[in-house]
């Protein structure tokens, strides 16, 4: 008999069961038994229906940025290039952007020089090379400018401007609004052609002081002043030098932060080794030459083209 009465109670709609329970326990609320009143009563008895979000420690804000220590970066890969060849990626902090001054100042400029010749030609990997930067200007619009360069691997060119061409560029915002360095592992979209010097000037101008570096770039993209280089992108580790031990292990490209990629086309940017096709880097090496020969040729041409000395490797 008790079991049958229990089964009958369980068969009642949830709302009716709550109403009966409220009548038995009592309620601090008055008025008609509406759905809103029932939700309030349940919250009083059992706590909020939606648990508050758990607040985790933000490691980017554990340590204040040190001008003396600076930060470190490592370009791990370039993904989905349009042509075969040996790629290099240069980098410099802007402002001041010495690499793009006349004449160029390359004290704080670097370029990748160690390629993984077993990787795909259009999605090449780079061996780990950390670069140190110590900018004194800390601002949400202080950025690291990257430029992708393509070098012919036939080794027939006798001058840098014949062997090397500019593919695309991008920027990485370095600091948040409070001056903390933003460490992470980020996939950045490339924009076509050479670095847009007018945009770099806009990043620095007072007229856009309320905007972040990336929002300025987004405005230019939306108005057609800069165009994406297809779905080509680069993968970059960037860390406060005081936290460098946390970024020494090479990450999986699939784990990169994709928040700066175009949302409307995100799936086409994502890295998947299973979907890679085309030639391997080793297939670009001419007959009777080794990949070391080609590597030295490419590095020499890129160094002369960018005026970044090879001792900056």
């Amino acid at each position: 008999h008790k079991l049958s009465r229990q089964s009958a109670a369980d068969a009642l709609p949830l709302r009716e069961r709550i109403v009966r329970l409220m009548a038995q326990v009592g309620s601090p609320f008055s008025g008609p038994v509406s759905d809103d009143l029932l939700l309030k009563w349940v919250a009083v008895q059992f706590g909020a229906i939606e648990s508050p979000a758990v607040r985790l420690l933000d490691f980017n804000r554990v340590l204040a940025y040190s001008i003396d220590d600076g930060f470190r970066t490592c370009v791990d890969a370039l993904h989905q290039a349009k042509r075969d060849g040996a790629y290099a990626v240069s980098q410099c902090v802007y402002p001041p952007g010495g690499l793009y001054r006349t004449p160029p100042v390359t004290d704080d400029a670097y370029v990748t020089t160690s390629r993984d010749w077993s990787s795909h030609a259009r999605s090449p990997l780079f061996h780990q090379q950390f670069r140190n930067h110590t900018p004194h200007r800390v601002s949400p619009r202080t950025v690291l400018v990257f430029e992708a360069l393509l070098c012919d691997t036939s080794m027939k060119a006798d001058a840098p401007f014949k062997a090397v061409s500019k593919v695309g560029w991008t920027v990485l915002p370095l600091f948040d609004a409070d001056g903390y360095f933003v460490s992470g592992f980020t996939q950045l979209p490339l924009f076509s052609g050479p670095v847009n010097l007018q945009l770099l000037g806009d990043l620095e101008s007072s007229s856009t002081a309320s905007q972040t570096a990336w929002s300025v770039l987004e405005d230019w993209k939306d108005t057609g002043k800069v165009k994406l280089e297809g779905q080509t992108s680069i993968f970059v580790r960037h860390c406060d030098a005081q936290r460098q031990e946390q970024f020494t292990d090479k990450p999986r490209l699939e784990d990169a932060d994709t928040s700066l990629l175009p949302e409307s086309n995100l799936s086409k940017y994502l890295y998947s080794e299973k979907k890679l096709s085309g030639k391997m880097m080793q297939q670009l090496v001419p007959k009777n030459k080794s990949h070391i020969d080609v590597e030295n040729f490419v590095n020499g041409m890129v160094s002369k083209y960018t005026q970044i000395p090879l001792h900056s490797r």
Side-chain angles (χ1 to χ4, degrees):
H1 181 63
K2 289 181 179 180
L3 288 175
S4 63
R5 284 196 301 175
Q6 183 66 37
S7 299
D10 290 342
L12 290 172
L14 178 60
R15 188 182 191 284
E16 183 61 28
R17 292 167 65 183
I18 295 175
V19 169
R20 290 191 178 191
L21 184 60
M22 186 169 65
Q24 294 174 5
V25 175
S27 172
F29 306 109
S30 60
V33 183
S34 64
D35 289 345
D36 287 341
L37 187 144
L38 288 178
L39 289 174
K40 290 179 181 178
W41 184 84
V42 170
V44 169
Q45 300 298 321
F46 304 105
I49 294 175
E50 295 184 2
S51 300
V54 178
R55 299 186 64 183
L56 300 177
L57 178 64
D58 184 352
F59 286 103
N60 283 331
R61 289 172 167 263
V62 171
L63 297 171
Y65 176 71
S66 167
I67 293 177
D68 294 329
D69 293 322
F71 67 91
R72 307 186 78 203
T73 63
C74 179
V75 178
D76 287 303
L78 185 146
H79 185 40
Q80 296 186 140
K82 294 180 179 179
R83 292 181 288 167
D84 293 336
Y87 286 87
V89 180
S90 67
Q91 59 179 275
C92 78
V93 176
Y94 187 93
L99 186 59
Y100 303 103
R101 304 294 181 183
T102 304
V105 179
T106 59
D107 293 347
D108 196 40
Y110 302 95
V111 66
T112 53
T113 57
S114 183
R115 299 158 191 83
D116 182 349
W117 287 85
S118 66
S119 59
H120 286 77
R122 299 195 182 190
S123 288
L125 304 178
F126 298 101
H127 293 300
Q128 184 162 284
Q129 291 178 297
F130 277 100
R131 309 305 195 183
N132 299 317
H133 297 275
T134 54
H136 288 191
R137 177 169 174 173
V138 176
S139 163
R141 288 185 294 138
T142 300
V143 299
L144 197 60
V145 181
F146 295 94
E147 188 164 26
L149 307 165
L150 174 64
C151 186
D152 178 30
T153 58
S154 68
M155 300 180 67
K156 296 179 180 179
D158 57 1
F161 68 90
K162 294 180 181 179
V164 181
S165 59
K166 296 183 176 183
V167 175
W169 61 279
T170 190
V171 302
L172 174 69
L174 299 174
F175 301 96
D176 67 16
D178 297 316
Y180 288 93
F181 186 84
V182 181
S183 298
F185 175 48
T186 305
Q187 184 179 0
L188 295 165
L190 284 189
F191 297 90
S192 296
V195 171
N196 190 310
L197 298 179
Q198 184 178 352
L199 173 61
L200 294 186
D202 278 6
L203 294 182
E204 197 175 7
S205 69
S206 58
S207 62
T208 56
S210 63
Q211 293 181 285
T212 64
W214 199 258
S215 66
V216 174
L217 189 55
E218 288 282 356
D219 288 346
W220 277 60
K221 178 173 70 68
D222 293 341
T223 56
K225 294 180 179 178
V226 295
K227 295 183 179 180
L228 292 166
E229 176 65 12
Q231 284 83 49
T232 308
S233 60
I234 61 171
F235 292 78
V236 182
R237 273 178 282 173
H238 43 101
C239 66
D240 188 314
Q242 300 168 97
R243 297 178 55 199
Q244 58 185 334
E245 294 81 5
Q246 300 173 23
F247 291 85
T248 53
D249 293 335
K250 194 163 187 175
R252 296 184 338 125
L253 299 186
E254 294 88 343
D255 295 335
D257 177 1
T258 60
S259 61
L260 296 183
L261 297 177
E263 291 184 10
S264 60
N265 219 12
L266 179 60
S267 61
K268 294 184 178 181
Y269 275 91
L270 300 181
Y271 180 87
S272 173
E273 189 172 0
K274 294 180 180 179
K275 295 182 180 180
L276 298 181
S277 60
K279 292 182 178 180
M280 306 299 288
M281 289 282 292
Q282 188 64 48
Q283 293 177 268
L284 304 181
V285 177
K287 292 181 179 180
N288 303 320
K289 299 291 183 181
S290 70
H291 75 272
I292 296 177
D293 295 328
V294 181
E295 184 96 303
N296 291 335
F297 171 81
V298 170
N299 289 340
M301 286 295 177
V302 170
S303 176
K304 292 176 182 177
Y305 185 87
T306 61
Q307 299 187 47
I308 300 175
L310 285 179
H311 63 69
S312 294
R313 291 188 289 178

